Amino acid sequence: DQQVKQNSPSLSVQEGRISILNCDYTNSMFDYFLWYKKYPAEGPTFLISISSIKDKNEDGRFTVFLNKSAKHLSLHIVPSQPGDSAVYFCAALSGTGNNRKLIWGLGTSLAVNP
Amino acid sequence: EAGVTQFPSHSVIEKGQTVTLRCDPISGHDNLYWYRRVMGKEIKFLLHFVKESKQDESGMPNNRFLAERTGGTYSTLKVQPAELEDSGVYFCASSQTGTEILFGELFFGEGSRLTVL
């Protein structure tokens, strides 16, 4: 059973508008969440992360919000640019210390239209 | 500085054959991970090396999969004999320490696509 869920397989937005990608998780023990971006034929690249003790983390155009009570996080991209078109993966970190591994969602394919 | 490199980028084999995937991590990175994405499913953890030792191999699907990291440098993942359900993209990633993952310091290769016919 999936512990990290991205229920929207795809999203299309206009350039300049806000993109909101959603992610839900089931395990309340997860203490870190990360967003990765992936272009075709490339490996995932890190975008932004958030600790479970925070409710918001911002880096330039990218902001991640965490609602622990709802076990929900979202990635906001403002303003969206055509170069942001990619697959976005939400991932949770399980384990402790040096024994960590990522639990991934299915990904959401974002298309930003000029 | 070279990133994580994986070979081959794509391998097509027949069911029952053997395939060996190779991963060269970023120089100096003690931690090496293998992940796999089967079509239509999420990326899943396979195993984690710290230097040449297997720290966690809980994600290895079965004994047809053998991972090695002799000398603590590059790693190989052998599938023998391959089955249809092994098709997917195998990603390798490396980090200097395990805790750096929290801050995004986990670097992925481009992946090796395996197609089993």
Side-chain angles (χ1 to χ4, degrees):
Chain A
D1 193 29
Q2 275 193 279
Q3 297 187 70
V4 176
K5 298 176 185 178
Q6 293 177 259
N7 293 319
S8 298
S10 63
L11 175 68
S12 182
V13 300
Q14 284 299 117
E15 181 178 5
R17 299 288 188 109
I18 184 171
S19 295
I20 300 177
L21 297 98
N22 294 303
C23 178
D24 297 289
Y25 61 96
T26 57
N27 189 340
S28 58
M29 298 300 291
F30 290 146
D31 61 350
Y32 258 89
F33 301 90
L34 301 89
W35 284 91
Y36 281 82
K37 176 179 178 179
K38 185 184 178 304
Y39 292 116
E42 293 186 10
T45 55
F46 171 75
L47 196 56
I48 191 169
S49 64
I50 188 166
S51 162
S52 62
I53 63 173
K54 296 189 173 183
D55 55 19
K56 177 182 174 181
N57 188 26
E58 191 172 352
D59 183 2
R61 298 185 296 113
F62 303 90
T63 303
V64 56
F65 296 92
L66 174 62
N67 182 334
K68 279 187 69 178
S69 60
K71 295 194 184 73
H72 176 84
L73 60 157
S74 59
L75 174 68
H76 292 212
I77 306 174
V78 184
S80 301
Q81 299 173 353
D84 295 331
S85 298
V87 178
Y88 289 79
F89 291 96
C90 173
L93 259 183
S94 73
T96 57
N98 195 44
N99 199 13
R100 292 282 204 165
K101 60 189 175 192
L102 290 166
I103 310 297
W104 299 78
L106 278 170
T108 296
S109 180
L110 173 66
V112 180
N113 306 306
Chain B
E1 181 183 308
V4 177
T5 54
Q6 294 187 243
F7 307 96
S9 57
H10 191 189
S11 181
V12 181
I13 61 172
E14 291 190 352
K15 175 183 169 180
Q17 291 186 318
T18 298
V19 64
T20 300
L21 310 177
R22 173 172 168 145
C23 169
D24 286 73
I26 293 172
S27 178
H29 280 193
D30 287 340
N31 291 267
L32 186 149
Y33 305 80
W34 284 98
Y35 284 84
R36 175 175 76 167
R37 187 182 189 196
V38 171
M39 188 178 292
K41 299 200 171 181
E42 70 273 24
I43 299 171
K44 281 196 172 178
F45 168 84
L46 294 179
L47 87 159
H48 169 202
F49 282 101
V50 178
K51 296 185 180 179
E52 67 276 6
S53 299
K54 291 176 184 174
Q55 178 83 1
D56 180 358
E57 53 182 330
S58 61
M60 295 289 264
N62 50 61
N63 58 10
R64 295 185 294 103
F65 289 76
L66 175 64
E68 294 180 320
R69 193 182 181 195
T70 308
T73 54
Y74 71 91
S75 173
T76 57
L77 180 64
K78 180 191 284 189
V79 185
Q80 178 182 31
E83 297 290 342
L84 299 178
E85 64 264 25
D86 301 332
S87 296
V89 181
Y90 291 75
F91 291 104
C92 177
S94 73
S95 67
Q96 194 156 25
T97 71
T99 52
E100 285 181 341
I101 301 175
L102 277 62
F103 313 110
E105 296 294 311
L106 177 67
F107 302 95
F108 283 82
E110 294 182 350
S112 290
R113 179 175 294 277
L114 172 63
T115 302
V116 183
L117 303 176

